[in-house]
């Protein structure tokens, strides 16, 4: 069963059905988890969304 959570970082509500996964993410949504991971390895938060052509 899915539950409603609120991301402590961005305060955005989101629905998830894996409470264990959310606990491992410290309650963060997937977007904030991705941004934190990219920052931890020295990449900008928008790295995966950038256009490789530079345009």
């Amino acid at each position: 069963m899915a539950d409603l959570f609120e991301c402590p970082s961005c305060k955005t509500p989101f629905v998830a059905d894996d409470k264990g996964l959310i606990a491992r993410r410290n309650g963060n949504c997937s977007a904030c988890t991705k941004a934190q991971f990219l920052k931890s390895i020295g990449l900008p938060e928008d790295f995966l969304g950038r256009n490789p052509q530079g345009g």
Side-chain angles (χ1 to χ4, degrees), residues 2 4 9 14 18 23-24 28 32-33 36 44 50 53 55:
L4 182 64
S9 297
F14 64 96
D18 188 346
R24 289 189 300 274
N28 289 327
C32 289
T33 301
Q36 288 173 354
R50 288 183 178 177
Q53 303 299 320

Side-chain angles (χ1 to χ4, degrees), residues 34-53:
K34 178 182 79 173
Q36 288 173 354
F37 172 73
L38 290 172
K39 264 174 72 173
S40 74
I41 60 172
L43 295 172
E45 294 178 13
D46 65 344
F47 179 78
L48 296 175
R50 288 183 178 177
N51 183 352
Q53 303 299 320

